[in-house]
Amino acid sequence: MSGRADSDTDPEITDPGAAAAQDTEPEAVPIDADEPDDTDEPDDTDEPDDADEPDDDADDVAEGARRARWTAAGTGTVLAMAGLAAALLRLTRSAPALVPAAYAGGAAVCAGAAVLGSRGRTRRALWLLIAGAMVMALGDQFD
């Protein structure tokens, strides 16, 4: 393929005016006035409008938003509990004070993300979840 736009044209077409007329004008079929109109279009007088039915796309969007809120709130809660548990475990053992503080700080950030996620601020909750997990991972590096 050469990349040109006209590279796939048929060689049989030599007259550009005839080709344009052939593509734009459909063949006319004579219709007798005596014959009934046999179109396949149903009458719309007996059927109700589709405007009365609820929109399925709106339901899908609402379901997706609800799922995102639950996911953000649940993930934030789980990470907050894990951070608190890790902070308590590191506090009882011999570790620098910065380690349990980092776990507790990351847990607090994840708890804030859970609150934001439950209120519908899922994008901000995602960023807070990432930041909280990074703070907890940074605390793990000090150990």
Side-chain angles (χ1 to χ4, degrees), residues 77-98:
T77 303
V78 167
L79 283 176
M81 293 298 171
L84 283 177
L88 289 175
L89 286 174
R90 299 298 172 129
L91 192 60
T92 59
R93 294 194 301 177
S94 63
L98 189 58

Side-chain angles (χ1 to χ4, degrees), residues 31 35-39:
I31 298 176
E35 294 180 14
D37 187 20
D38 291 336
T39 59

Side-chain angles (χ1 to χ4, degrees), residues 37-51:
D37 187 20
D38 291 336
T39 59
D40 293 333
E41 298 175 11
D43 291 336
D44 291 335
T45 57
D46 295 337
E47 297 178 14
D49 283 342
D50 291 337

Side-chain angles (χ1 to χ4, degrees), residues 3-141:
R4 293 183 10 204
D6 61 343
S7 63
D8 293 330
T9 57
D10 293 330
E12 298 100 36
I13 301 174
T14 55
D15 186 20
Q22 181 182 5
D23 290 339
T24 58
E25 294 179 15
E27 294 182 20
V29 177
I31 298 176
D32 293 334
D34 297 337
E35 294 180 14
D37 187 20
D38 291 336
T39 59
D40 293 333
E41 298 175 11
D43 291 336
D44 291 335
T45 57
D46 295 337
E47 297 178 14
D49 283 342
D50 291 337
D52 296 336
E53 297 177 10
D55 192 14
D56 290 337
D57 292 337
D59 293 341
D60 292 341
V61 170
E63 181 65 29
R66 187 176 303 116
R67 188 174 298 143
R69 284 194 306 268
W70 278 100
T71 302
T75 305
T77 303
V78 167
L79 283 176
M81 293 298 171
L84 283 177
L88 289 175
L89 286 174
R90 299 298 172 129
L91 192 60
T92 59
R93 294 194 301 177
S94 63
L98 189 58
V99 175
Y103 277 112
V109 171
C110 289
V115 170
L116 283 178
S118 69
R119 294 183 179 179
R121 305 289 185 192
T122 55
R123 189 175 299 151
R124 291 182 183 132
L126 173 67
W127 285 109
L128 280 180
L129 287 172
I130 292 169
M134 287 176 61
V135 167
M136 287 189 268
L138 184 66
D140 192 38
Q141 292 297 317

